[in-house]
Amino acid sequence: MAEDLENKSEEQGQADENVSPKTEDLGTQDETKSEETETKADEAATKEEVEDQKAEEIDPKDAKIAELEDQLLRAKAEFANYKRRTTEEMFKLGTYTTAQVVEKFLTVLDNFERAEEQVQKMQNNAEVSDALNAVVEGMQKIRKQFDETFKKLEVEEIAALNEKFDPNLHEAVMRGANPELADETIDMVLQKGYKIREQIIRHSKVRVISNQ
């Protein structure tokens, strides 16, 4: 009986020994498969990195073309700005030059208008001669030429009489009282003012109402 138990124990030990190597073989196979999986993953990642790097790399010709296109766009924008600035400067210079020339003629126009007023007073006299009528007609033609020239140059008279005083347009040289008019109303123009477009050539010299 004791021998039988001993024999069974030895057989069980041999069985355990036979199972153990199989277990070790399975573990080794799992490790190998894991390493192969990791290797494939690393290779795939490396391949993706190479492809990404190739995609990021730009053909030198394409880069040069893009650079030239950018330079062309910048050059066009700079030229457009230069053209706009030049046009504005020329416009302002033309306006300034015209204003300077017109200003010289205003004194002549002032004297001419005074002469017109005197002639008109004389026309009210019944004894006006034909010679004076001819002078009046000639002055009217000259005045018409003044008006047409100023219109072509975009020169216009500044509205003043019965207007509200505006220091940007008018120069108050006198103060007066008139209860029929509101304060700061212009009731007399002593010298006409003119402007070309939005540039003042000469302010209107006026009398302004101040009832207080």
Side-chain angles (χ1 to χ4, degrees):
M1 184 70 176
E3 290 179 357
D4 291 338
L5 292 172
E6 184 179 350
N7 290 333
K8 288 182 180 181
S9 176
E10 289 178 357
E11 290 175 358
Q12 183 66 34
Q14 290 178 355
D16 292 341
E17 287 178 357
N18 292 332
V19 171
S20 179
K22 291 182 180 180
T23 304
E24 291 178 357
D25 290 342
L26 290 174
T28 303
Q29 290 177 1
D30 292 340
E31 290 178 0
T32 302
K33 289 181 180 180
S34 177
E35 289 176 357
E36 290 177 353
T37 303
E38 291 178 358
T39 302
K40 290 181 180 179
D42 291 341
E43 291 176 353
T46 303
K47 186 176 180 181
E48 289 180 0
E49 290 178 0
V50 171
E51 290 177 353
D52 292 342
Q53 186 176 1
K54 288 181 178 179
E56 291 177 357
E57 290 178 355
I58 301 175
D59 191 314
K61 292 181 179 179
D62 294 338
K64 188 64 177 178
I65 292 172
E67 182 183 353
L68 292 174
E69 288 178 346
D70 182 67
Q71 291 178 357
L72 180 60
L73 291 174
R74 289 177 182 272
K76 285 183 178 180
E78 290 177 0
F79 179 75
N81 291 333
Y82 168 77
K83 186 176 180 180
R84 176 181 55 78
R85 289 195 304 269
T86 302
T87 302
E88 291 177 355
E89 290 173 359
M90 290 180 64
F91 182 80
K92 290 179 181 179
L93 179 61
T95 301
Y96 175 79
T97 303
T98 303
Q100 294 295 308
V101 174
V102 170
E103 186 178 10
K104 303 297 181 183
F105 281 98
L106 291 183
T107 302
V108 178
L109 181 58
D110 291 339
N111 293 331
F112 184 83
E113 289 179 341
R114 293 189 188 99
E116 275 189 312
E117 291 175 0
Q118 293 300 320
V119 170
Q120 288 174 359
K121 290 178 181 178
M122 294 174 65
Q123 276 188 305
N124 294 330
N125 190 336
E127 298 178 358
V128 174
S129 63
D130 293 338
L132 183 58
N133 287 331
V135 172
V136 171
E137 184 178 352
M139 294 183 70
Q140 289 174 345
K141 290 180 179 179
I142 294 173
R143 178 53 191 264
K144 184 178 180 181
Q145 289 179 341
F146 262 112
D147 294 340
E148 290 176 350
T149 301
F150 277 14
K151 185 177 181 179
K152 290 178 181 178
L153 296 174
E154 298 184 65
V155 176
E156 57 183 314
E157 181 181 340
I158 296 174
L161 187 62
N162 296 323
E163 296 287 332
K164 184 175 178 61
F165 175 73
D166 183 351
N168 296 315
L169 303 174
H170 312 124
E171 179 183 350
V173 294
M174 294 178 62
R175 288 279 177 177
N178 186 340
E180 296 181 358
L181 297 175
D183 286 350
E184 299 301 309
T185 301
I186 297 172
D187 73 332
M188 183 183 296
V189 179
L190 305 174
Q191 187 181 58
K192 293 179 180 179
Y194 292 87
K195 65 179 181 177
I196 176 170
R197 303 183 186 96
E198 298 303 320
Q199 180 175 336
I200 303 299
I201 301 174
R202 185 178 73 184
H203 291 75
S204 302
K205 290 181 171 59
V206 298
R207 182 175 73 178
V208 182
I209 295 299
S210 181
N211 292 314
Q212 297 180 354

